[in-house]
Amino acid sequence: MIIGIIHSGSGLGDSLFSYIATRVRALDLGVDFGFVGKEFFKGASFMNLDWGVQANISYTVDNNSGAVKPIYGGNEYKEYVLNKPYYDPEFNFIPDGSVIDGYGAQDIRYFEHRLDEVREWLKVEPLDKMPDWLGIINFRGGEYQAISNLFLPQEYWDKGIEILKNNGVKGFEVHTDDYLTAKKFFPSEDMEIYSNIEMNWRAIRYAKHLIISNSAFAIIPRLLKHLDDLESVTIAPKFWAGRNIGEWRRPQNYYSKFLYI
């Protein structure tokens, strides 16, 4: 059995990477899977995930970070933490009877061979209106504002909008975790701003044209969109978390289907 961890302090994107890493490794091994901390999953209101079999491991939760810490007792499990900023081939050698802390398994090589299955695991209904001429802006504010390497400048969003307009996009919606900050970046009355986790994820998942922030939130839904539609466009920040300093701090976040600027 392979057991995954869902941390109470993790956002939806990181939790989905943990979920996928656990299920992919279990499927590759042909064994059962389960999770600890599944009650902390932030997409439960709109995603009906299969959590596998019951994982009989107790745990504590760190009050500061929200990290779930398994208590193994007499259980003979070995824990593997996937937190390197690049692909770790050791993933392919994780044996049955392991616990995977997989929030860092963001390199597509961990799961590309199972993308068809991932699409089924994370199936959600599209939004009612998602015309091809509509561009979606996935703006990340919140705590990113205090981290200079992560918070993207106005120039990035303006350049992305210009590219999409030249590609036939006639209007935009902003989907964000931070309505007030997004309104400062996109003050036009013609741009609706939505701050709802379900609407945000579904819009990102099914939009034909999208500009994303350097957040884990958008990665999986966009890779699934490109699987469905080879002509879809995803504009992403070059260097990912290092765009503002011109350095690939997390090379695992390069995806060949994305257009980096």
Side-chain angles (χ1 to χ4, degrees):
M1 182 176 178
I2 298 292
I3 296 175
I5 302 174
I6 304 297
H7 296 286
S8 87
S10 290
L12 179 59
D14 284 344
S15 294
L16 286 178
F17 277 112
S18 294
Y19 181 83
I20 290 168
T22 301
R23 289 201 63 176
V24 165
R25 188 60 192 145
L27 188 58
D28 288 349
L29 287 170
V31 301
D32 289 333
F33 67 92
F35 288 86
V36 294
K38 60 189 178 184
E39 65 273 20
F40 300 125
F41 179 62
K42 294 179 174 60
S45 63
F46 66 99
M47 282 187 186
N48 184 25
L49 300 187
D50 179 359
W51 294 104
V53 301
Q54 181 65 37
N56 294 316
I57 296 177
S58 60
Y59 57 86
T60 61
V61 180
D62 183 86
N63 290 330
N64 294 320
S65 67
V68 168
K69 299 180 179 181
I71 301 172
Y72 297 109
N75 294 311
E76 295 182 358
Y77 284 99
K78 182 174 181 180
E79 186 171 327
Y80 289 81
V81 180
L82 299 173
N83 62 358
K84 294 178 180 177
Y86 50 84
Y87 177 69
D88 184 357
E90 187 63 22
F91 176 78
N92 300 287
F93 299 93
I94 295 176
D96 186 14
S98 298
V99 174
I100 297 179
D101 193 354
Y103 67 93
Q106 297 183 20
D107 192 296
I108 196 170
R109 285 173 286 184
Y110 290 114
F111 55 85
E112 186 172 25
H113 63 296
R114 297 292 186 183
L115 268 177
D116 284 330
E117 287 95 336
V118 173
R119 176 169 51 190
E120 293 302 308
W121 301 341
L122 307 185
K123 185 176 289 184
V124 297
E125 293 298 319
L127 294 173
D128 292 337
K129 295 198 310 180
M130 191 60 61
D132 287 351
W133 55 260
L134 180 66
I136 299 298
I137 298 170
N138 166 227
F139 178 83
R140 178 67 182 268
E143 71 275 17
Y144 272 34
Q145 296 179 78
I147 307 173
S148 60
N149 287 350
L150 295 181
F151 193 56
L152 295 166
Q154 186 76 55
E155 165 268 328
Y156 167 75
W157 304 106
D158 292 344
K159 186 174 181 180
I161 289 171
E162 181 182 0
I163 291 171
L164 290 190
K165 284 182 176 179
N166 291 335
N167 203 44
V169 171
K170 302 183 185 302
F172 292 87
E173 285 181 359
V174 181
H175 287 259
T176 180
D177 66 323
D178 185 344
Y179 181 94
L180 293 178
T181 305
K183 192 64 177 176
K184 295 176 183 178
F185 276 70
F186 311 101
S188 172
E189 295 298 326
D190 295 330
M191 285 192 191
E192 294 286 347
I193 299 177
Y194 299 94
S195 185
N196 174 282
I197 190 171
E198 177 179 354
M199 286 187 65
N200 296 165
W201 203 90
R202 290 166 69 195
I204 292 166
R205 170 67 179 86
Y206 289 106
K208 191 174 187 68
H209 299 93
L210 178 75
I211 310 168
I212 65 174
S213 61
N214 46 15
S215 166
F217 186 85
I219 297 170
I220 294 299
R222 284 319 284 177
L223 291 176
L224 296 179
K225 174 61 178 177
H226 284 279
L227 189 64
D228 295 335
D229 181 1
L230 297 179
E231 296 182 354
S232 57
V233 177
T234 301
I235 294 176
K238 188 179 180 182
F239 306 113
W240 201 250
R243 186 182 190 274
N244 296 342
I245 57 173
E247 180 182 332
W248 283 99
R249 290 291 184 89
R250 301 177 187 173
Q252 66 177 357
N253 293 120
Y254 171 78
Y255 309 97
S256 63
K257 302 296 184 182
F258 293 1
L259 172 62
Y260 289 89
I261 63 171

